[in-house]
Every structure is written in C-alpha cells, then in structure tokens.
Amino acid sequence: MTKILEQLDSSQRAAAECLRGPVLILAGAGTGKTRTVTHRIAHGIETGVYRPDQVLAISFTNRAAGELQERLSRLVAAEITTKTFHSAALSQLNEMWGMVFGGQAPKLLQQKRTLLAQLCETHRVAVTPETLRDISSEIEWRKSNLLTLDSYQQNISQRITPQGVGREQLLEILDGYEKLKLQRHVIDYEDSLALLAGIIENEKRVAAILRDRFRYLTVDEYQDVSPLQHTLLKAWLGDRNDICAVGDASQTIFSFAAATQKYLLEFDREYPDARVFKLENNYRSTPAIITHANNLMRSQPAALELRASGLGGSASHQESPSCVWFDSESTETAAVAHAIKQQLTGGTAAKDIAVLARTTAQLGRVEASLKAQGIACKTQQGMNFFERAEIITVIAGLRARVISPERGKLDFQVVSDVLREAGYRGQAPQTPAEHEKWHSLKTLDSLIVERLNSGKKLPEIVAELSRMQQQRQQPESEQVTLSTVHAAKGLEWQSVYLIGVTEGLLPYQGSDVAEERRLMYVAITRAKQLLRLSGSAGLKHSAPSRFLGEAKIPLLQVT
C-alpha cells in the first residue's frame, strides 16, 4: 500500500484502489469525496496505471475544479486536466473546429441577455433583469434536456413561462435567439457541449484524438448531470468504460436546471460490471447534526446513512440544533444578527459563520440587520472577488512588475507600492462604498503577505493569483457569509444559521417537496459545530416547516 493510500480510511481506500472499469462512488456529505477522488487519481499515476496527460477530471464549478487542481498538485508533480463540462467542451471545440470545418470556431456568447434584450423589445416584452434571467434559464433548460424548438413547443403547456411573457411570445423569442446566433457566428455554453458531442460522434479523426487523449474520466457531482452532459460523456468514452462517477442522490438540488438523479441511480444498469463504493463516515459535523440529517432523509430512496467519525464528533461545542420561532421576520433577523455578534465577541472568526436562506430576498434583510450591528458580510453569489476593478488593477500592476522588475526592491516593497497606487491605505475609510473597496484590497494584501511569509516569491504568487482569477476562486476573508442554500452547495462553515424554515419558503410554495427536502438536507450538512435554525409567522402567518418534524429538530417559541 502506497503512502498516498495510507492517508485514507478503509472505505475511501477501497474506492481509490479500484482504478479501471466503471466505478461509482456514493459519497455522503462531509465524507471526504474530494480527498478520495484526488488520492485515487494520484494512486493511478503513482502505480503507472494512468498517464497524467490521459486523465480528465470534470466538476460542475470553476471553484470545485480549482480545488481539485490544487489538491492534485500537492500529490503528484504532473499536470492533471481538471475542468468544468463547459470549459472542457470549449477548449476541445476550439481545437478541433479547424480540422473539421476550417477557419475559426464561433465565438462564445458570454451572456444571453444582450441578444434577449433586443428580442424582447422586438416582441414588445418588458425588458427587466428578472425577465432576461428567466428566459435565459428556459433556453438552458430546453437545450440541457435535448429538446428541439418543436419538441419544446409541444411541451410548453407544462412549463411556467416568465412573468409578463406569453407562450407565443416566448416561442418567437427562443426561435429568434437561435437565428441571431447563427447570423453573428456565436454560440452559447449549451451549444458548445452539443456541437462537440456531435463532432465526436460523426468525425472519426476527432473521436480517435480525444478518446486517446482522455482515457480516464472522473466526474464529480454525478447526481447533477443533465441529459446534454450525459450525451457528451458518452461521446468522450465511446466503447470504453473507464469512468469514475462520484455523487450523492440526497444532494440533487438543481433539477430546475435539468440536473437529474437518473444517471447516478442507474449507473450500475448502464454499466453492469460497475464497482460501487459507499462513503458514509462524516468528518465534518457533530453527531447531533448528523442525526438530524439522517432523520430527514431516512425514508428517501438511495439515501446514505452518515456516521460521525472524528472532527465533528470531537468538537468541544456540542449544542444540539433547534429551531427558534419568532413573531416576525424583522425580529428573527435581528436575533440572528445579535447571536452572530455574540459569537464574534467570543472569538469565533467571521469567515467561519454563514447565514443560509432559501431565497435571495431573505438575505437582504439579514444583511441590513448585520450591518446595523457593525458586522461585515459578503454574499456568496455576488460579484466574484477577482472581478472587482481594484483587484484586476492590482494583479495587472504586479504582473507588470514581475515582467519588468525594479532593481533593489524587495517583494514586500513592490506589493506595497502597487497597493498604494490602487488607493489602499492602512486605515479603513468611513463611507460604505470606499470601505468595500478597502476591504477587498485588504483581503488581497493579507493573501499575498501570507504567501510571502511562507517563502514564496512574487512571480510564483502572481501566477497563483492569475490562476485563481481564471478559475473564479474566492479567497477567504474576515466576513460573515450570506448565501442561498443552492449557492452553499459544496461549502462548509463552523457555524450555520438557517433562516426562514417555514412552510412556503422551505419547502418553497409550488416546488417539488422531495427536492426541497434535499435542499434542507444540504443546508443542515453545511454546519460543522453549530447549527441554529429559525422561522417566523410573518405577515402571512406561516407555519413551521414540515421538515423540522421529519428531522426531529425541536421547535422553541420566543415569548
């Protein structure tokens, strides 16, 4: 047994040792799936079963792909390809287009809203951010489900169209969108997957090149694979079966975007010789949190039974989760802000605390309450850190200094100069807008200084920052995180406050209850040591969520 495998528990090790053929890893929340996947790939390379340049690891977000890349780089010296479905498809499409069609591949349409805004005006539909977002989502759902416009039209009566858009208008806009793309020689992200799959299936040269290049596939979050993504996976594989699928049916929460459990649940039917491994040792949460999570999902098909194993179980903080019921939303959010203030005063780091909610609107009220207490916070699905103008300016300035270094200047001095040029000063400003800019520069300064203190040189740090920028990673900062439960998927915090645990919000009115239950499960399992739930009657006299009873979480009334 190699040293790489010695770092795994028995369940993780069994999965990591199985290197060939179809492999299914059913990994519960907090069971070390990323650790298992990266060690499995490293073990395959170390033993000579895998060539590093023939491995393709697919994840669903740039953040997750970046984490895979970072962890693999610690285990093996070779470069491993870790990408999202879309980035892998785009890079391969751009490479193969000239071979098949000649010339340059169509340019990528970064956002659908530019074309959709024009089409909405043409068809007399009010152009609002919500309308453009909803029409974009409908386009993505149609394509991800492999529906032509004709087949979509036959099923449109079963769809909820965007507010203020009639069915005929929607069909005309969707048709016009496809025609405009053709005229302008652009494609969207869904097109990149469909085009690449079609080229591989119809062009033997392309199929031979790509199937030889990427012989070993690993796909994370397999419960979220759409029909379109599954089609591309099958094209990549051809008649081979070296695929490792990793997922958890209890964490399927993106069905609205065409994600389906089907491919995870039917993996052993699709691949009859598949080896199946279960990871159920939870290293994240306390036994009490795990008990409630298991209670919630016990009656659901394919649910894993988590076991407390180590980090969470040995934590000194053993407060049992409960749900506190308030008479109004304002009282609820004020109480949450007060509790967080107490935690911060008691020494808990702000980056270790998160407030989760079912909807973005709820987060706005929490943000106001936190700011009233003087607590800095960030929204998980807000602007990416590396997209901020001041951060782009600093990284560009550092890159220029690396290319043309100044004689006699230490790395610390260079960083200080570039930050000062961007407007950074040691003392925080008073105005909210300037404070936000100052805080982002302070976060970048801390990130760079930490790496300089560890012995890294400036060129190495700038390369790392550029990679983080490209992969849209978010650095840690001393702020409380506000996030919808959907956006919190894959993340974890020491303390989690889940607000709005009411009928009509969680489960959300009109939504599939089974999916909402899984959403509640994801929220619960984000917490390591402290989980506090809350709800309120509000103006609509809401009742406590049915999921509280299913999870056997006690309800406490505030008097």
Side-chain angles (χ1 to χ4, degrees):
M1 183 173 65
T2 67
K3 289 183 179 179
I4 287 175
L5 296 185
E6 287 175 354
Q7 302 172 43
L8 306 178
D9 69 25
S10 58
S11 299
Q12 296 168 340
R13 188 166 63 245
E17 286 177 324
C18 191
L19 297 174
R20 295 301 304 270
V23 173
L24 175 62
I25 302 175
L26 299 172
T31 58
K33 68 164 184 175
T34 304
R35 181 184 185 85
T36 304
V37 166
T38 52
H39 282 68
R40 179 179 181 273
I41 293 172
H43 176 56
I45 292 169
E46 184 184 56
T47 56
V49 176
Y50 299 161
R51 264 178 43 188
D53 59 345
Q54 290 184 325
V55 176
L56 175 60
I58 294 291
S59 195
F60 272 76
T61 65
N62 288 310
R63 179 192 57 77
E67 184 181 358
L68 277 174
Q69 184 69 66
E70 184 179 344
R71 293 208 198 182
L72 282 167
S73 66
R74 298 180 204 154
L75 295 171
V76 292
E79 184 79 13
I80 311 297
T81 303
T82 61
K83 289 181 177 290
T84 64
F85 271 104
H86 291 130
S87 62
L90 279 169
S91 62
Q92 293 177 24
L93 190 65
N94 285 329
E95 179 186 357
M96 298 298 165
W97 188 273
M99 180 190 301
V100 178
F101 303 108
Q104 295 291 318
K107 291 185 178 179
L108 177 68
L109 183 67
Q110 295 285 351
Q111 291 185 333
K112 297 179 176 70
R113 64 185 63 185
T114 306
L115 297 187
L116 293 179
Q118 298 175 29
L119 291 164
C120 283
E121 290 179 355
T122 300
H123 295 283
R124 298 183 180 180
V125 170
V127 180
T128 68
E130 294 76 20
T131 301
L132 297 178
R133 178 200 63 205
D134 291 346
I135 297 176
S136 293
S137 297
E138 201 65 9
I139 291 171
E140 290 156 14
W141 181 88
R142 176 184 73 79
K143 293 185 174 186
S144 296
N145 276 298
L146 302 174
L147 296 176
T148 64
L149 278 169
D150 287 341
S151 56
Y152 175 80
Q153 183 175 3
Q154 293 170 12
N155 292 277
I156 194 170
S157 60
Q158 301 170 25
R159 301 291 296 167
I160 299 174
T161 58
Q163 189 171 4
V165 185
R167 288 176 182 170
E168 288 303 318
Q169 286 176 309
L170 180 60
L171 289 169
E172 288 170 352
I173 290 171
L174 266 55
D175 182 51
Y177 171 77
E178 298 302 324
K179 290 174 179 175
L180 267 182
K181 285 197 291 98
L182 280 173
Q183 290 173 14
R184 301 185 184 187
H185 197 56
V186 296
I187 58 173
D188 58 27
Y189 283 104
E190 292 72 41
D191 293 332
S192 67
L193 272 64
L195 284 168
L196 180 63
I199 290 173
I200 295 173
E201 291 295 349
N202 291 287
E203 295 289 334
K204 291 183 179 180
R205 291 176 301 165
V206 173
I209 292 170
L210 294 181
R211 288 171 183 168
D212 180 65
R213 181 184 301 171
F214 297 116
R215 299 193 63 84
Y216 307 102
L217 295 182
T218 298
V219 186
D220 194 10
E221 305 289 4
Y222 207 74
Q223 76 279 355
D224 290 333
V225 167
S226 71
L228 175 57
Q229 290 163 340
H230 184 258
T231 298
L232 179 56
L233 279 175
K234 297 298 287 184
W236 274 332
L237 283 168
D239 58 1
R240 297 173 294 117
N241 65 358
D242 281 312
I243 179 172
C244 175
V246 189
D248 178 10
S250 295
Q251 298 188 66
T252 306
I253 60 173
F254 295 105
S255 295
F256 62 88
T260 173
Q261 295 178 330
K262 181 175 85 169
Y263 304 115
L264 179 75
L265 298 178
E266 297 180 358
F267 189 85
D268 54 354
R269 293 185 193 174
E270 186 173 8
Y271 301 98
D273 55 341
R275 298 283 303 279
V276 181
F277 301 91
K278 290 184 178 181
L279 306 184
E280 296 178 304
N281 295 322
N282 179 287
Y283 295 96
R284 177 186 296 160
S285 307
T286 64
I289 292 172
I290 291 172
T291 296
H292 291 304
N294 284 335
N295 289 341
L296 181 65
M297 300 305 294
R298 186 157 285 126
S299 64
Q300 302 305 300
L304 298 167
E305 184 79 10
L306 299 178
R307 296 183 293 269
S309 303
L311 298 179
S314 64
S316 59
H317 205 309
Q318 293 292 325
E319 178 181 320
S320 295
S322 61
C323 182
V324 182
W325 192 252
F326 296 90
D327 60 359
S328 68
E329 290 179 344
S330 59
T331 308
E332 178 187 3
T333 55
V336 168
H338 178 70
I340 290 174
K341 182 78 169 180
Q342 288 184 314
Q343 272 200 277
L344 295 174
T345 302
T348 302
K351 65 181 176 61
D352 291 331
I353 301 174
V355 181
L356 307 185
R358 177 63 178 81
T359 69
T360 305
Q362 295 168 268
L363 297 177
R365 293 188 284 270
V366 178
E367 183 177 13
S369 294
L370 289 172
K371 287 185 175 178
Q373 294 274 2
I375 300 171
C377 57
K378 63 177 182 179
T379 304
Q380 177 63 26
Q381 69 266 45
M383 177 184 286
N384 183 274
F385 178 81
F386 288 102
E387 290 176 345
R388 298 188 63 86
E390 62 271 17
I391 301 303
I392 292 172
T393 299
V394 171
I395 293 176
L398 291 173
R399 194 179 291 118
R401 299 298 205 286
V402 167
I403 294 171
S404 303
E406 298 178 63
R407 281 189 175 184
K409 281 202 171 183
L410 299 173
D411 286 350
F412 281 100
Q413 292 175 294
V414 173
V415 172
S416 178
D417 288 349
V418 174
L419 284 167
R420 287 185 67 83
E421 288 171 11
Y424 179 62
R425 301 294 182 269
Q427 190 167 352
Q430 298 300 315
T431 62
E434 286 299 311
H435 189 277
E436 192 172 343
K437 176 181 175 181
W438 176 85
H439 197 284
S440 66
L441 290 171
K442 182 177 184 293
T443 298
L444 184 62
D445 182 33
S446 300
L447 188 151
I448 295 172
V449 168
E450 178 186 342
R451 283 154 176 75
L452 288 172
N453 286 333
S454 71
K456 289 186 176 182
K457 299 298 182 183
L458 190 56
E460 185 182 2
I461 296 170
V462 171
E464 182 183 356
L465 292 174
S466 298
R467 186 174 64 252
M468 293 174 72
Q469 192 174 38
Q470 184 179 16
Q471 295 174 341
R472 294 175 57 82
Q473 289 179 249
Q474 292 275 36
E476 287 189 345
S477 61
E478 281 303 322
Q479 294 172 291
V480 173
T481 300
L482 308 182
S483 177
T484 62
V485 182
H486 283 102
K489 175 77 171 63
L491 302 176
E492 61 184 29
W493 295 271
Q494 295 291 334
S495 301
V496 168
Y497 293 80
L498 177 60
I499 65 169
V501 189
T502 69
E503 288 292 314
L505 276 176
L506 192 60
Y508 198 77
Q509 187 174 6
S511 297
D512 177 62
V513 173
E515 178 121 344
E516 294 292 304
R517 182 181 292 105
R518 295 191 292 268
L519 203 59
M520 176 81 161
Y521 174 82
V522 167
I524 290 173
T525 54
R526 299 310 94 197
K528 293 182 178 181
Q529 295 184 4
L530 177 68
L531 173 65
R532 291 182 178 175
L533 302 91
S534 61
S536 61
L539 296 174
K540 297 181 180 179
H541 304 290
S542 302
S545 171
R546 71 190 76 179
F547 298 146
L548 294 170
E550 293 182 19
K552 299 181 181 178
I553 296 175
L555 183 66
L556 308 178
Q557 187 79 38
V558 171
T559 57

